[in-house]
């Protein structure tokens, strides 16, 4: 997914030249402690999150979701999926609410879950997550989650066939 995103980003760099993209990459890989709420970095993050969401949704529209390897390998996806379902056996992943992710109790459980995946690249980077798996990304259907939450929920949706209708409904 990241390689497709990178390829797509090369084609559509939003008017930023190669030098600007390299500077942004350098800035985004630096320590967060070096930055306050820099609006330029927030805009770059938002562009990356939107690009990621667009690429992922396009994949759902064109490929059988159960064949996707979101973490990069079947082995890693399986590890994330099994741990996710052990930790959150009753989470209604087809139609989530914001409190499923962001309530105080959920935050504690998610933090413990996420700590197992510090080796996953950008595991805590913000990602856009659809609440209702039958719908597209929209203001009403999207929340900000961290990457490992996105991976765990979307791997589960794909394996449990909750994303299967996307291809028929949004071709």
């Amino acid at each position: 997914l990241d390689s497709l995103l990178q390829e797509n980003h090369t084609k559509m760099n939003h008017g930023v030249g190669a030098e600007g993209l390299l500077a942004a990459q350098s800035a985004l890989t630096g320590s967060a402690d070096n930055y306050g709420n820099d609006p330029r970095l927030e805009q770059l993050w938002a562009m990356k999150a939107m690009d990621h969401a667009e690429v992922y949704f396009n994949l759902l529209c064109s490929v059988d979701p159960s064949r996707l390897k979101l973490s990069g390998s079947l082995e890693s996806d399986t590890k994330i999926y099994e741990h996710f379902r052990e930790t959150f056996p009753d989470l209604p992943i087809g139609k989530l609410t914001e409190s499923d992710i962001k309530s105080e109790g959920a935050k504690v459980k998610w933090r413990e879950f996420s700590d197992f995946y510090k080796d996953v690249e950008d595991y805590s980077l913000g990602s856009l997550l659809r609440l209702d798996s039958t719908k597209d990304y929209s203001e009403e259907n999207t929340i900000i989650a961290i990457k490992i939450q996105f991976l765990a929920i979307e791997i589960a949706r794909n394996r449990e066939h909750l994303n299967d209708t996307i291809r028929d409904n949004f071709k």
Side-chain angles (χ1 to χ4, degrees):
L1 187 56
D2 285 336
S3 62
L4 286 173
L5 176 59
Q6 196 169 34
E7 182 179 307
N8 187 36
H9 212 2
T10 301
K11 293 177 186 170
M12 296 179 50
N13 61 17
H14 303 283
V16 178
E19 188 175 297
L21 289 173
L22 289 172
Q25 179 183 12
S26 173
L28 291 172
T29 57
S31 170
D33 295 334
N34 296 335
Y35 304 100
N37 289 334
D38 185 333
R40 293 173 301 165
L41 289 179
E42 289 177 8
Q43 184 178 18
L44 288 169
W45 170 83
M47 286 175 17
K48 183 175 180 176
M50 289 293 296
D51 285 347
H52 184 269
E54 183 180 352
V55 168
Y56 180 63
F57 198 78
N58 287 339
L59 282 171
L60 290 177
C61 290
S62 59
V63 176
D64 177 358
S66 66
R67 299 184 62 183
L68 296 174
K69 296 173 190 77
L70 298 184
S71 67
S73 76
L74 180 60
E75 182 181 310
S76 293
D77 277 13
T78 299
K79 176 182 161 189
I80 292 168
Y81 174 71
E82 289 174 353
H83 183 209
F84 170 70
R85 277 310 188 192
E86 285 173 17
T87 308
F88 300 97
D90 300 319
L91 189 66
I93 60 171
K95 192 165 187 171
L96 295 165
T97 64
E98 191 166 351
S99 65
D100 291 327
I101 307 293
K102 298 188 177 191
S103 71
E104 287 307 313
K107 284 181 182 180
V108 170
K109 254 181 132 170
W110 278 111
R111 193 173 303 115
E112 290 171 3
F113 176 85
S114 301
D115 283 345
F116 283 94
Y117 299 98
K118 289 183 177 183
D119 61 320
V120 172
E121 184 178 348
D122 297 331
Y123 82 101
S124 65
L125 185 69
S127 296
L128 301 180
L129 178 67
R130 294 172 302 129
L131 293 171
D132 185 334
S133 65
T134 65
K135 297 180 180 176
D136 196 352
Y137 287 93
S138 67
E139 189 172 338
E140 308 80 42
N141 194 45
T142 305
I143 62 169
I144 297 171
I146 61 171
K147 182 179 177 180
I148 194 62
Q149 290 172 315
F150 168 86
L151 289 173
I153 290 167
E154 289 297 337
I155 288 168
R157 285 175 170 174
N158 292 342
R159 289 187 174 205
E160 296 173 19
H161 303 284
L162 295 170
N163 281 330
D164 287 358
T165 60
I166 295 294
R167 226 174 353 159
D168 295 330
N169 296 336
F170 293 95
K171 278 187 176 178

